[in-house]
Amino acid sequence: MEMIKNNTPCFFTQQVFLIGTYNEDRNERFAPISWISYTRGEPSCLVISINGTKKTKENIGRTGFLSATVVTPDLLPLCEQFNRATYKKEMKDKLQYSVEKGKILDVPLLVGGKFSYECQVIKTVEIGTTHTYFAEIKNINVSEDIQKLDFFDLREVNPVVYSPMNYFTIGKHLGKIGDYSNL
């Protein structure tokens, strides 16, 4: 392992999402982004940070809309083909996927995704080359198998988690909030 320095993102675990936007020509664009969090209260927002020069940033700035699909292991091959660093034309040409328009907003959604958000940006904060978007959640799309669960079981959603240069999935259920306060 590399020597850990003060600015090394060595223990940042982040859930991976595919951020969907439309290009000016109406072709859909998806970008894997893992710097995402959530605000609680009114309005509920995803907080999405995107660094550098990316077409996705340009699209969000132009339209103010985006989708965010939770990446699950079955979406990893597609996720890697939407990533400039891991894209391979011969691989992307072999992958098949379908896109549909959002139920509420004019955003692209990946057909078959287990969990996705349709969002409208209400505030953008710029620090250096990073844009952080506060994107109000206007609609949540959840697959039927997840909707039928007794509780929100992350093992069933099976989100991909990123930690520098590696992917992981969720392990075991440790208990509910409050279970450890009764020991």
Side-chain angles (χ1 to χ4, degrees), residues 123-127 130-134:
K123 184 170 182 73
T124 303
V125 176
E126 296 179 34
I127 299 176
T130 298
H131 287 66
T132 298
Y133 305 98
F134 289 79

Side-chain angles (χ1 to χ4, degrees), residues 20-159:
T21 60
Y22 284 117
N23 293 334
E24 289 174 336
D25 62 5
R26 296 293 298 163
N27 284 326
E28 65 275 343
R29 171 175 225 68
F30 292 95
I33 303 292
S34 61
W35 292 100
I36 297 181
S37 189
Y38 173 81
T39 65
R40 187 170 172 107
E42 291 298 323
S44 294
C45 296
L46 292 184
V47 182
I48 304 163
S49 291
I50 304 176
N51 185 38
T53 305
K54 293 181 176 56
K55 184 70 175 171
T56 298
K57 280 173 64 173
E58 183 182 314
N59 289 345
I60 293 170
R62 183 175 41 77
T63 68
F65 297 116
L66 60 94
S67 66
T69 300
V70 172
V71 173
T72 51
D74 58 308
L75 292 177
L76 273 175
L78 193 57
C79 181
E80 293 235 323
Q81 295 316 304
F82 290 138
N83 183 341
R84 286 189 287 199
T86 55
Y87 167 82
K88 293 180 180 149
K89 182 173 176 16
E90 64 279 2
M91 177 70 172
K92 187 167 184 193
D93 291 343
K94 293 178 185 177
L95 290 173
Q96 295 184 1
Y97 64 95
S98 298
V99 176
E100 62 185 353
K101 186 178 172 192
K103 312 289 188 269
I104 303 291
L105 298 178
D106 187 22
V107 294
L109 295 172
L110 287 168
V111 173
K114 287 186 175 185
F115 206 97
S116 64
Y117 299 91
E118 298 175 42
C119 299
Q120 181 175 5
V121 175
I122 59 173
K123 184 170 182 73
T124 303
V125 176
E126 296 179 34
I127 299 176
T129 59
T130 298
H131 287 66
T132 298
Y133 305 98
F134 289 79
E136 183 177 358
I137 298 167
K138 296 291 192 174
N139 192 44
I140 302 173
N141 303 286
V142 183
S143 66
E144 285 184 29
D145 58 326
I146 301 304
Q147 200 75 340
K148 291 178 183 177
L149 295 174
D150 292 334
F151 70 100
F152 196 78
D153 190 340
L154 284 179
R155 295 167 299 178
E156 294 298 322
V157 177
N158 202 18

Side-chain angles (χ1 to χ4, degrees), residues 154-181:
L154 284 179
R155 295 167 299 178
E156 294 298 322
V157 177
N158 202 18
V160 170
V161 178
Y162 171 84
S163 186
M165 304 309 292
N166 291 280
Y167 297 119
F168 299 89
T169 58
I170 301 297
K172 62 183 179 177
H173 181 240
L174 299 176
K176 295 181 180 180
I177 297 291
D179 285 355
Y180 292 89
S181 65

